[in-house]
Amino acid sequence: MNLKQLSELLGLSQTTVSRALNGYPEVSEKTRKKVEAAAKQHNYTPNTRARGLATGRNHAVGHVIPLSTEHEVVNPVFTDFIAGASEVYSRENYDMHLTVVPDASESDAYRKIAAKGSVDGVIVHGPKENDPRIKLLREIGMPFVVHGRSGSTDEQEYSWVDMNNTRAFERATQFLLDLGHRRIGLLNGLETMDFAAKRRIGYRTALEQAGVTEDNTLCYSSEMTEEYGFSATTKMLALEHPPTALLASSIIVGFGVRRALDAADLKIGKDVSLIIHDDDLSYLRNGNSEPIYTATRSSVRQAGRICAEILMDMIVNPTRPAQHVLLDAELIIGHTTGPAPQG
Amino acid sequence: MNLKQLSELLGLSQTTVSRALNGYPEVSEKTRKKVEAAAKQHNYTPNTRARGLATGRNHAVGHVIPLSTEHEVVNPVFTDFIAGASEVYSRENYDMHLTVVPDASESDAYRKIAAKGSVDGVIVHGPKENDPRIKLLREIGMPFVVHGRSGSTDEQEYSWVDMNNTRAFERATQFLLDLGHRRIGLLNGLETMDFAAKRRIGYRTALEQAGVTEDNTLCYSSEMTEEYGFSATTKMLALEHPPTALLASSIIVGFGVRRALDAADLKIGKDVSLIIHDDDLSYLRNGNSEPIYTATRSSVRQAGRICAEILMDMIVNPTRPAQHVLLDAELIIGHTTGPAPQG
DNA sequence: CCAAACACCCAAAGCGCTTTGGCATGCCTT
DNA sequence: AAGGCATGCCAAAGCGCTTTGGGTGTTTGG
């Protein structure tokens, strides 16, 4: 069913039917009701392409999700981020276009998306420090919001939604220091990523304030897999002075840590303490009523919702200045931390 | 840059430029080269909406991913499935449209997608037994391929890509029986889902063949979360005759099993054996060179690739009969299984 | 009572592309 | 030399929608 058919059916012009459905005032309430009823009855929805062509607006946004070239890994937080964003899109009747690209060719992907002209805006995932995509998108003039921030790039110049990575890891480290831990290992994400760089800074700051010198043999940085958690932990445990506490950048890394401690017959939370960062993923809940892991927690899904809302707003209202949301992670106490063992 | 501008720039008609770029023979090699060079130089890509309107084809496919209403969980296998499918889409220059919907309103979502007419085909995720979506899509006449199958619906009537769930779980159960285990717990996915129902059948078949009667207190069915793995295992361990082996429907459930065994001071692979199903997710690899968990393994990413390829084919060639691919899961031996303890 | 204002509707143009149906031009036949 | 046939190009229509710029009939105000 298309507009022409529907209008013929109703004995009205296409103009009138279109206006009726789009809420224009130049149409009587009576005809509007009639039109709406007929539209629903015949399951009429305006053809997206045609509407897009006519209006210049697509009612669609793009997500480009990077495929880590190193290990071909798609970060699992995307599912939840996208679930959050989708809530907003479906409420506003927007479509979501997804592109998965090797992160090397990401800039090209954005250029192509812009040229194809099928979306009104994009969300930038996984920003690195001084990420070239931000400059590119500004040049192109495509509305965008960044999930995270991009280091040295001026933060005022673009919209972003981020969590306070620095603060979160500073607090977590502080918490471990307060428990008496002095040798604290860090299993960070790839430090080319902005979030990981910021977490490293938080970690370092807390150590410095406590007068503990950072030890490079306790600092790891990699793609956040279970295997990484296992192998990095195993290596650290083999050190002459192994860590008594660990900070893991995700719950999945935390699973690997657990397995390594298990294999070494060390009790988690007693022999070795562990704090993870918990993105509050729906399928990887850190306990139900009570948290399992002590964690810094911030909902990625919520971040998705906020990003989407800001983007919608920017699309409708392009002149409004850039918006920034800094979410604070909460520190929640689970069963994986305890006082540093004496020795 | 649009067609008109490009053609004026080249001093050619829009027709010729369009034909040149789309590989039609009615244009000389010389002009074609010139046009292609200019297109590349000015980063010209035909506007998707306009092209779609003109051709009636969208160069886009839709994925509707269900949001489990029960726990608002998005199944994490989607990231990898989508990564696999995307490889194909980007090779063929197709776009991917994503819709996340509460699984209750899925049928409506498909109807709406069809009415909007912005995709050429869809992939159906998470089929249930006798899933109404299949009938719906056939009625609408939208090309689709199902990831999985739908129980009693005639399998010949639609295209699907599935793994051999029954066989995989039969073999895994068989393997445990051969090791002397008699009390084998099953931590299945939601058995309203076709894949879980089939796994249950495989489990049952193997038990029957060994003359072991199925024990309902050893059979769980739920959303596949870590917490579920933990709590179901904990409950089973509290039984008078606890299981000596467990079958878990995903690696994440397996993580929960590990934690529960850990808490009960039971050695995995010695006191209690565990086999998981491994979707070979990029961020949840079951070990690198050597598997950690004994597992039935089948790559979801590969399934994504195959689904996408079949769908592309169906779009281009609508008269071809339905295609079916049944992937076999391999049984890989890790460190989590061993002979049943005596006693 | 007439003009102005209003309410309601419509025809047609245009969004950027593909595609149909020509129209020249040059070359080869007969 | 005239007809036939590729070859290479183009003008214009049309995809389904929104939107501009009227048009018609009915109220309202002076």
Side-chain angles (χ1 to χ4, degrees):
Chain A
M1 173 69 60
N2 61 23
L3 223 212
K4 195 175 171 195
Q5 295 167 345
L6 186 65
S7 61
E8 278 167 3
L9 201 103
L10 284 160
L12 287 168
S13 73
Q14 298 189 35
T15 311
T16 304
V17 176
S18 172
R19 308 224 100 141
L21 293 172
N22 291 320
Y24 281 73
E26 305 94 324
V27 57
S28 73
E29 253 346 275
K30 202 174 118 200
T31 32
R32 188 192 305 283
K33 288 270 177 277
K34 220 164 50 187
V35 170
E36 278 169 352
K40 175 164 284 178
Q41 190 198 329
H42 296 88
N43 192 33
Y44 168 78
T45 309
N47 179 300
T48 345
R49 301 174 304 217
R51 168 199 277 239
L53 242 202
T55 57
R57 293 229 348 251
N58 291 290
H59 282 262
V61 312
H63 286 241
V64 177
I65 82 178
L67 189 66
S68 158
T69 33
E70 203 170 339
H71 299 297
E72 291 257 311
V73 169
V74 181
N75 192 325
V77 303
F78 288 128
T79 41
D80 263 59
F81 184 91
I82 278 170
S86 280
E87 291 175 26
V88 179
Y89 298 151
S90 64
R91 200 179 59 210
E92 307 275 337
N93 251 302
Y94 267 63
D95 283 345
M96 176 162 108
H97 294 203
L98 212 72
T99 319
V100 183
V101 284
D103 52 9
S105 51
E106 260 198 278
S107 286
D108 273 353
Y110 284 100
R111 221 185 289 276
K112 200 165 169 186
I113 284 174
K116 283 205 281 195
S118 51
V119 300
D120 301 323
V122 294
I123 301 245
V124 175
H125 290 281
K128 301 189 174 39
E129 287 215 303
N130 210 353
D131 202 302
R133 290 175 286 171
I134 292 172
K135 204 173 140 224
L136 175 68
L137 286 167
R138 286 175 58 93
E139 278 172 19
I140 293 175
M142 160 97 60
F144 68 100
V145 13
V146 180
H147 179 212
R149 276 172 291 176
S150 177
S152 39
T153 312
D154 184 351
E155 290 181 2
Q156 295 307 310
E157 294 197 344
Y158 61 96
S159 289
W160 49 261
V161 175
D162 199 4
M163 62 158 276
N164 200 335
N165 283 293
T166 312
R167 181 92 190 91
F169 270 55
E170 186 183 333
R171 280 184 71 198
T173 310
Q174 182 66 54
F175 181 77
L176 291 170
L177 288 163
D178 288 347
L179 284 168
H181 296 277
R182 284 300 171 270
R183 292 191 60 71
I184 302 173
L186 175 66
L187 286 79
N188 206 355
L190 281 172
E191 288 177 1
T192 48
M193 304 299 282
D194 184 80
F195 78 90
K198 287 201 164 54
R199 289 176 183 183
R200 175 68 175 263
I201 292 169
Y203 166 78
R204 183 175 293 152
T205 307
L207 289 183
E208 276 171 6
Q209 276 174 4
V212 176
T213 47
E214 192 181 277
D215 180 347
N216 267 325
T217 63
L218 297 181
C219 290
Y220 284 75
S221 164
S222 167
E223 210 79 73
M224 302 181 284
T225 63
E226 199 263 4
E227 181 73 21
Y228 161 55
F230 177 81
S231 64
T233 305
T234 303
K235 278 180 211 155
M236 282 193 264
L237 292 177
L239 292 173
E240 196 177 351
H241 298 295
T244 62
L246 295 169
L247 232 45
S249 223
S250 84
I251 194 168
I252 291 177
V253 175
F255 290 150
V257 172
R258 177 182 289 279
R259 184 161 61 91
L261 295 178
D262 215 21
D265 263 322
L266 293 167
K267 241 345 192 200
I268 197 164
K270 193 158 151 277
D271 301 317
V272 177
S273 285
L274 170 65
I275 299 183
I276 64 161
H277 178 71
D278 177 7
D279 293 301
D280 205 16
L281 305 183
S282 58
Y283 56 94
L284 282 174
R285 282 272 142 70
N286 180 15
N288 282 340
S289 46
E290 199 182 339
I292 301 157
Y293 296 87
T294 298
T296 55
R297 176 187 284 170
S298 174
S299 164
V300 157
R301 189 154 179 171
Q302 176 65 7
R305 269 191 286 261
I306 299 174
C307 279
E309 260 154 13
I310 293 180
L311 186 56
M312 304 274 88
D313 186 70
M314 291 177 69
I315 289 169
V316 175
N317 207 324
T319 57
R320 198 168 297 181
Q323 295 179 57
H324 315 112
V325 176
L326 189 58
L327 300 166
D328 253 312
E330 45 182 351
L331 183 61
I332 58 172
I333 312 300
H335 297 293
T336 56
T337 41
Q342 303 302 319
Chain B
M1 172 69 61
N2 62 21
L3 225 212
K4 194 173 170 195
Q5 295 167 344
L6 186 65
S7 61
E8 278 168 1
L9 201 104
L10 283 159
L12 288 167
S13 73
Q14 298 189 35
T15 310
T16 304
V17 175
S18 172
R19 308 224 99 144
L21 293 172
N22 290 320
Y24 280 73
E26 307 92 324
V27 54
S28 73
E29 248 353 270
K30 202 173 119 200
T31 30
R32 188 192 305 282
K33 288 268 177 280
K34 219 164 53 189
V35 170
E36 277 170 353
K40 174 162 284 177
Q41 189 196 332
H42 296 89
N43 191 33
Y44 168 77
T45 308
N47 180 299
T48 343
R49 302 175 302 221
R51 167 198 279 241
L53 242 202
T55 59
R57 294 230 344 253
N58 291 290
H59 282 261
V61 310
H63 286 241
V64 177
I65 80 181
L67 190 65
S68 157
T69 33
E70 200 169 341
H71 298 296
E72 290 256 310
V73 168
V74 181
N75 191 326
V77 303
F78 288 129
T79 40
D80 264 60
F81 184 93
I82 278 170
S86 278
E87 292 175 26
V88 179
Y89 298 150
S90 64
R91 200 180 59 210
E92 308 274 337
N93 252 303
Y94 267 65
D95 283 345
M96 178 162 109
H97 294 203
L98 213 71
T99 319
V100 183
V101 284
D103 53 9
S105 51
E106 261 198 279
S107 285
D108 272 353
Y110 284 99
R111 223 184 289 275
K112 201 165 170 188
I113 283 174
K116 284 205 280 194
S118 50
V119 300
D120 300 322
V122 295
I123 300 243
V124 174
H125 290 280
K128 301 190 175 36
E129 288 216 303
N130 212 352
D131 201 303
R133 289 174 288 171
I134 291 172
K135 201 173 143 224
L136 175 67
L137 286 168
R138 286 175 57 91
E139 277 173 20
I140 294 175
M142 161 99 58
F144 69 100
V145 11
V146 180
H147 179 211
R149 276 172 289 175
S150 178
S152 41
T153 310
D154 184 351
E155 291 182 1
Q156 295 305 312
E157 293 197 345
Y158 60 97
S159 289
W160 49 260
V161 175
D162 199 3
M163 64 160 275
N164 200 333
N165 282 294
T166 312
R167 182 91 189 91
F169 270 55
E170 187 183 333
R171 281 184 70 198
T173 310
Q174 182 66 52
F175 181 77
L176 290 170
L177 288 163
D178 288 348
L179 283 168
H181 295 278
R182 285 299 171 270
R183 293 192 61 72
I184 302 172
L186 174 66
L187 287 80
N188 207 357
L190 281 171
E191 287 177 1
T192 48
M193 305 298 282
D194 184 80
F195 78 90
K198 286 199 165 55
R199 289 176 183 182
R200 176 67 176 264
I201 292 170
Y203 166 79
R204 182 175 296 152
T205 306
L207 289 183
E208 277 171 4
Q209 276 174 3
V212 176
T213 47
E214 193 181 275
D215 180 348
N216 267 326
T217 62
L218 297 182
C219 290
Y220 284 75
S221 163
S222 167
E223 209 80 73
M224 302 182 281
T225 63
E226 199 264 4
E227 182 72 21
Y228 162 54
F230 178 81
S231 63
T233 304
T234 304
K235 277 179 213 155
M236 282 194 264
L237 291 177
L239 291 174
E240 194 176 352
H241 298 293
T244 63
L246 295 169
L247 233 44
S249 223
S250 83
I251 195 167
I252 291 177
V253 175
F255 291 149
V257 173
R258 178 182 288 280
R259 183 161 61 90
L261 295 178
D262 214 22
D265 264 324
L266 292 168
K267 248 327 191 211
I268 197 166
K270 193 159 152 279
D271 300 317
V272 176
S273 285
L274 171 64
I275 299 184
I276 64 161
H277 178 70
D278 177 7
D279 292 301
D280 205 18
L281 305 182
S282 58
Y283 57 93
L284 281 175
R285 282 272 142 72
N286 180 15
N288 282 339
S289 45
E290 202 182 337
I292 300 158
Y293 295 88
T294 298
T296 54
R297 175 187 285 169
S298 174
S299 164
V300 157
R301 189 154 179 172
Q302 177 66 7
R305 269 191 287 261
I306 299 174
C307 280
E309 261 154 14
I310 292 180
L311 186 56
M312 303 274 89
D313 187 70
M314 291 176 71
I315 290 169
V316 174
N317 207 323
T319 57
R320 200 169 296 182
Q323 295 178 57
H324 315 111
V325 176
L326 189 58
L327 300 166
D328 251 313
E330 44 182 352
L331 183 61
I332 58 173
I333 312 301
H335 297 293
T336 56
T337 42
Q342 303 304 317

